[in-house]
Amino acid sequence: MKSTQIEYSAMSRGYYKSIVVQNKSVSIVKERNAEAVKSKINDAKWNEIVSAYSKVNLESLSTLKAPTDKRTYDGAAIGNLKITKDGKTYETAGFDNGFPPKEIEKLVNLLVDFSKE
C-alpha cells in the first residue's frame, strides 16, 4: 500500500468533504478552500483499511452501481471513491454520500469515520 492513495470525496452546493489516506496518514478537508487537517493512523485502524482495500476490485470500480439516487435531486451530496495505485487512477461513478455501493461500503465507511473524530 506504499504506492497507493485512497481518496473519498463528497460534495454538493453547500457541502464539501475530502478524505485522503496514504502511508498510515489521513488528510481531511471539511470546507472548500480550507486547509487540510493531517494526522497519523494507528496500526489497528490502518490494518482495517488495508483489509477492506484488499477486497476491492480496482478494475470494476468504475462499473459499480449506486444503491440509491438521492443525489439526482439534491437529496444527498455526491460521493466518489478514487484510488491511485502505481500511478494509475481507478474511480467510481458518483453515488449518494452515506450510501456507497456494497462492494466498497466497508472501505468508504472506514474513511468517513476519520471526519467524525
Side-chain angles (χ1 to χ4, degrees):
M1 294 261 311
K2 287 212 184 309
S3 62
T4 301
Q5 175 180 296
I6 304 170
E7 178 180 358
Y8 175 72
S9 61
M11 56 193 76
S12 67
R13 283 181 287 186
Y15 182 85
Y16 182 86
K17 183 184 299 183
S18 172
I19 303 162
V20 178
V21 169
Q22 185 172 21
N23 289 340
K24 289 192 175 183
S25 69
V26 59
S27 172
I28 301 166
V29 179
K30 291 186 178 179
E31 294 177 22
R32 293 182 211 289
N33 304 320
E35 287 290 315
V37 177
K38 295 182 168 121
S39 59
K40 291 287 179 202
I41 301 172
N42 68 42
D43 288 343
K45 183 84 167 185
W46 181 251
N47 290 337
E48 283 185 74
I49 291 169
V50 170
S51 173
Y53 169 78
S54 71
K55 295 177 176 79
V56 173
N57 179 342
L58 295 178
E59 297 299 331
S60 70
L61 261 188
S62 63
T63 63
L64 296 179
K65 294 282 182 238
T68 54
D69 271 333
K70 294 178 183 175
R71 67 196 175 285
T72 59
Y73 57 85
D74 284 345
I78 300 170
N80 184 294
L81 181 70
K82 180 165 65 174
I83 298 174
T84 305
K85 181 178 183 197
D86 299 326
K88 187 166 180 349
T89 301
Y90 306 87
E91 196 166 359
T92 62
F95 55 86
D96 291 350
N97 181 39
F99 301 93
K102 69 177 181 304
E103 295 88 346
I104 59 170
E105 184 174 21
K106 175 88 172 140
L107 181 59
V108 168
N109 289 341
L110 284 167
L111 298 179
V112 171
D113 281 349
F114 285 116
S115 67
K116 294 176 181 170
E117 294 172 359

